[in-house]
Amino acid sequence: MSKNNINGKISLSDFQLDAKSKVFYHEKSHMIDYSDGVKNEGYVLNAIKNSEDISNHSSELIKWVKDWPSYYHLGTGRSNIFNVLDLSENSKVLELGCGCGAITRYLGETFEKVDAVDGSPFRARITRERCKDLNNVNVYCSNVSNIKFSASYDIVTAIGVLEYAPVYYDEKIAPRDSCMCLLKQLKSALKTSGLLIVGIENKIGLKYWSGSPEDHTGKVFDSIQDYPDKGPITFSKREIESLLKDAGFSNISFLYCFPDYKFASTIISDRGDGRGYYLHNWIEIPFKSQSISRNYNFHEGLAIKTLSEAGLLKEFANSFLIIASKDDSKTLSPEWIIRKISVNRKDEFKCITTLNTDPMRVEKKRMIGTDKDVILENNGIKIKHKVGTRKWEEGNLMIFNVYKSLFKDDWKKEILDILELYYNKLTINYSEMVDDEGYPFLKETDIDYTIGNLIESHDDLVFIDNEFDVDHIPADYVFYRCIKFNIVECNDYFLRKKIVNTDKFIIELIKNFFPKYNKKRHKRNKHLEESFQRLIDVGYPPISFDGFSLSLMQKSVQILPENVKEYLKTIYLRLIE
């Protein structure tokens, strides 16, 4: 049967509640066959059913994460894109394509009334389970093309939905026309002053140029080559802006997401072209491809800096968050320039950092609780977490010098020269005390006092982001963290060809500044880092198989039992630490 072969459309008020699933259905409504796999989604449902805390910021659910699909549905951060928006809590919200309810949960906790729609019966059931204690959330199962909406919603969301219109909405017409029909239907659900919120990948996003497979097809360069085969489609900024205008949305504001809208950590506003704000300082790299191995055609950090300085970064953002309205009187653009969201932490450490103007300043606020200092201790580490407002520093982060050094013949000498400048800055914070092995302690110093947080400003190095203060922490441990995170992990792909053993390489670098440093001390610092991460993190990040090692393994492991595959994955992760 054709996906649109139903006489007339059905109002949500005509749907009937299924007593068992607590999901609303209609006998004439058409379902869709979309899934991340029955086994994967069954695992997600089981995790939700067996967890007491199923809230948006649940630290219990993230402990169930074992791979990319489970992280996508259970991980913290899917609602980041909404946390940067100024939306009224009294709003009535329509969510299209609610999936397994990760965003629905946030909407239900935040807004007065939520109607969530998904075409998959099993996904609708999972969403209902995720929101089982939220009486303000109703879940409907239907292909959206079958529904007639009333203009009663303050907000309509289509997060990761528009690109699938050519597949599930109307496959008989041209892909752009299918997306247009969907947008017009969403517009019909909005009040005159209502807002449409769209999350979608950028067809020409930087990560696609650098070698990341297209998010929907898994093919390299697929969107850049204008999708040769039928399937989901995305758009460039100009294309989707034109599409929205043609659908009747005259007031449009773009926000630009990195690494993407799914788990956005950095979101840039549409104020100007960004030149002069050093936007590249705010974006974390590399852009990893979840579950699919990828190559890196160039260094993404250096490319971001080039685009930022040319005023072109927004055009090549990996994803868009779009706010659109048919009401021209509404002000949609935010007053801030850029925001960074840190949520893969325990609740008391979750923060949003904002670059504001008039005057230029950086403001860090907690997402949960008050902005008073928080003090915690674990296994010998006592930290004081601070938020507040500081002066904005003009200049590039020191870490960009590391990125450049990797492409020089004498790359190791270049890195040592950079580390010498950093070491000299670090010694200013030495206290008169030493630890039991004779290593100097630092006075009250931020544990993130690294080249990733040092700005080259007016012939000086200025530390920014003073967030985690630790008193009497060994200097070599902070130095170790600098190398681990700012040299090795963010440049992993390019260092693989240069070094064989990561630990040996780190020890070699540190010995140039702390001559007594050895394997035993290195192991001690690694344990200290594990203690710090346990103190602040809610769980481990998703399993990501990036690069050449997995690509060599994939074909040979297909015939192995699942338990053996999982064991090999564990070994692989240990090898690349």
Side-chain angles (χ1 to χ4, degrees):
M1 182 175 86
S2 169
K3 292 172 184 168
N4 259 346
N5 189 22
I6 294 180
N7 294 324
K9 294 181 183 288
I10 311 160
S11 297
L12 290 183
S13 59
D14 293 328
F15 280 63
Q16 299 297 314
L17 179 66
D18 176 68
K20 184 177 181 181
S21 66
K22 307 300 182 185
V23 173
F24 287 87
Y25 294 92
H26 193 284
E27 60 182 358
K28 292 184 179 180
S29 179
H30 187 81
M31 314 300 175
I32 64 172
D33 183 21
Y34 180 85
S35 172
D36 284 332
V38 174
K39 184 177 179 180
N40 290 331
E41 293 181 357
Y43 180 85
V44 170
L45 178 59
N46 183 61
I48 294 171
K49 282 187 170 182
N50 287 279
S51 297
E52 291 185 13
D53 179 10
I54 55 175
S55 66
N56 177 52
H57 287 293
S58 172
S59 58
E60 185 178 356
L61 281 177
I62 202 169
K63 293 176 182 177
W64 287 82
V65 169
K66 64 184 180 69
D67 51 20
W68 169 243
S70 59
Y71 184 76
Y72 181 73
H73 295 297
L74 302 174
T76 303
R78 289 285 304 282
S79 63
N80 284 358
I81 52 177
F82 290 95
N83 287 320
V84 302
L85 302 178
D86 184 17
L87 302 171
S88 171
E89 294 182 356
N90 297 322
S91 298
K92 181 181 178 183
V93 180
L94 172 65
E95 181 192 15
L96 273 299
C98 59
C100 295
I103 291 177
T104 318
R105 180 72 207 193
Y106 165 81
L107 297 174
E109 290 177 1
T110 306
F111 299 105
E112 188 173 293
K113 180 77 171 65
V114 178
D115 289 336
V117 179
D118 200 272
S120 162
F122 194 46
R123 286 186 153 212
R125 178 185 165 196
I126 297 172
T127 296
R128 183 65 271 174
E129 187 68 26
R130 182 73 190 266
C131 301
K132 61 186 176 183
D133 57 331
L134 299 178
N135 295 326
N136 61 326
V137 175
N138 286 333
V139 181
Y140 299 84
C141 185
S142 174
N143 188 330
V144 64
S145 65
N146 302 151
I147 303 174
K148 178 182 179 181
F149 295 110
S150 61
S152 60
Y153 295 96
D154 302 288
I155 299 170
V156 173
T157 72
I159 310 301
V161 171
L162 182 61
E163 57 266 42
Y164 287 102
V167 180
Y168 295 109
Y169 193 82
D170 194 338
E171 68 218 357
K172 293 182 178 180
I173 60 178
R176 187 184 187 277
D177 293 339
S178 187
C179 293
M180 172 79 71
C181 289
L182 176 56
L183 287 173
K184 287 182 176 179
Q185 187 176 5
L186 300 185
K187 183 172 66 105
S188 72
L190 285 168
K191 295 178 180 177
T192 302
S193 60
L195 299 177
L196 171 67
I197 301 176
V198 176
I200 190 170
E201 293 82 358
N202 182 3
K203 178 180 181 177
I204 56 171
L206 178 62
K207 71 176 185 179
Y208 291 151
W209 294 97
S210 68
S212 181
E214 205 278 342
D215 283 26
H216 310 91
T217 67
K219 299 176 182 178
V220 178
F221 302 132
D222 206 29
S223 61
I224 293 171
Q225 296 174 151
D226 201 26
Y227 298 103
D229 296 324
K230 290 183 178 180
I233 63 168
T234 58
F235 305 91
S236 67
K237 178 187 175 182
R238 296 184 184 185
E239 286 175 334
I240 197 167
E241 186 173 27
S242 172
L243 184 66
L244 285 161
K245 287 181 178 178
D246 289 347
F249 292 96
S250 54
N251 191 359
I252 305 168
S253 175
F254 279 80
L255 299 177
Y256 308 87
C257 305
F258 293 93
D260 56 30
Y261 72 83
K262 301 178 189 71
F263 290 95
S265 60
T266 300
I267 299 180
I268 305 171
S269 76
D270 58 358
R271 297 188 61 175
D273 60 17
R275 283 181 291 185
Y277 293 133
Y278 298 88
L279 300 178
H280 46 279
N281 287 343
W282 293 66
I283 300 172
E284 298 176 4
I285 54 98
F287 302 136
K288 294 186 176 182
S289 176
Q290 308 297 347
S291 300
I292 304 176
S293 62
R294 63 157 296 186
N295 293 319
Y296 292 83
N297 299 326
F298 49 77
H299 197 290
E300 291 167 333
L302 293 176
I304 287 169
K305 182 173 180 289
T306 299
L307 291 171
S308 173
E309 292 172 342
L312 295 171
L313 182 59
K314 298 176 184 181
E315 293 284 344
F316 292 93
N318 290 333
S319 291
F320 302 127
L321 176 63
I322 308 166
I323 302 93
S325 177
K326 49 192 178 184
D327 181 1
D328 291 334
S329 67
K330 294 183 73 71
T331 300
L332 303 183
S333 299
E335 295 182 356
W336 47 268
I337 297 167
I338 189 168
R339 280 185 164 170
K340 191 163 189 176
I341 309 106
S342 304
V343 294
N344 287 323
R345 305 169 168 185
K346 293 178 180 176
D347 286 351
E348 55 264 50
F349 302 125
K350 289 180 169 72
C351 290
I352 295 182
T353 307
T354 305
L355 176 58
N356 289 306
T357 58
D358 303 323
M360 293 290 292
R361 65 197 187 282
V362 177
E363 186 177 39
K364 185 184 293 288
K365 284 184 168 291
R366 289 202 180 89
M367 297 172 66
I368 299 172
T370 70
D371 285 340
K372 293 181 179 179
D373 291 352
V374 174
I375 298 176
L376 289 178
E377 187 170 2
N378 179 54
N379 203 21
I381 292 186
K382 183 179 181 180
I383 64 172
K384 178 169 67 175
H385 183 255
K386 303 184 302 183
V387 297
T389 302
R390 64 171 172 83
K391 175 188 173 186
W392 176 68
E393 298 291 344
E394 186 176 0
N396 296 307
L397 284 174
M398 195 180 184
I399 198 171
F400 286 98
N401 296 332
V402 175
Y403 299 162
K404 285 186 178 180
S405 71
L406 298 174
F407 300 94
K408 296 183 179 181
D409 293 335
D410 53 351
W411 64 274
K412 193 175 289 186
K413 179 183 180 302
E414 289 279 336
I415 287 178
L416 286 172
D417 288 345
I418 294 166
L419 285 175
E420 183 174 8
L421 292 173
Y422 165 64
Y423 175 77
N424 292 336
K425 192 73 175 177
L426 190 66
T427 58
I428 296 174
N429 296 320
Y430 275 17
S431 74
E432 297 178 357
M433 300 176 62
V434 296
D435 70 2
D436 58 319
E437 295 185 32
Y439 287 85
F441 280 120
L442 297 172
K443 289 176 286 188
E444 188 168 321
T445 302
D446 195 284
I447 203 166
D448 286 328
Y449 193 96
T450 68
I451 58 178
N453 283 320
L454 284 169
I455 294 281
E456 296 179 315
S457 180
H458 307 295
D459 298 322
D460 191 15
L461 294 175
V462 180
F463 178 66
I464 60 170
D465 200 25
N466 188 11
E467 185 177 2
F468 291 101
D469 272 355
V470 184
D471 200 15
H472 293 102
I473 194 77
D476 67 302
Y477 167 59
V478 177
F479 202 86
Y480 155 78
R481 296 190 86 247
C482 175
I483 296 173
K484 172 180 170 63
F485 294 112
N486 297 160
I487 294 179
V488 174
E489 291 196 358
C490 62
N491 298 296
D492 176 60
Y493 181 83
F494 297 97
L495 278 174
R496 290 173 188 166
K497 303 171 185 177
K498 301 177 183 292
I499 62 175
V500 177
N501 185 294
T502 298
D503 286 321
K504 185 177 179 181
F505 174 68
I506 294 175
I507 292 171
E508 178 187 345
L509 291 180
I510 296 177
K511 281 179 73 71
N512 283 275
F513 304 92
F514 299 89
K516 295 192 302 179
Y517 197 84
N518 54 30
K519 289 183 179 178
K520 182 180 178 181
R521 183 71 180 189
H522 188 61
K523 185 176 181 180
R524 179 172 172 170
N525 279 338
K526 290 175 77 172
H527 287 160
L528 200 58
E529 179 60 23
E530 289 173 2
S531 296
F532 173 66
Q533 293 300 332
R534 281 195 294 269
L535 195 62
I536 66 167
D537 284 0
V538 294
Y540 290 102
I543 297 173
S544 173
F545 301 107
D546 229 9
F548 74 100
S549 296
L550 181 68
S551 63
L552 293 176
M553 293 170 54
Q554 280 176 327
K555 292 183 180 178
S556 60
V557 301
Q558 292 303 314
I559 60 173
L560 296 176
E562 285 298 320
N563 62 330
V564 178
K565 292 181 185 179
E566 290 299 319
Y567 175 75
L568 289 175
K569 290 178 184 178
T570 303
I571 297 299
Y572 171 76
L573 289 173
R574 289 176 180 171
L575 286 172
I576 64 172
E577 282 183 348

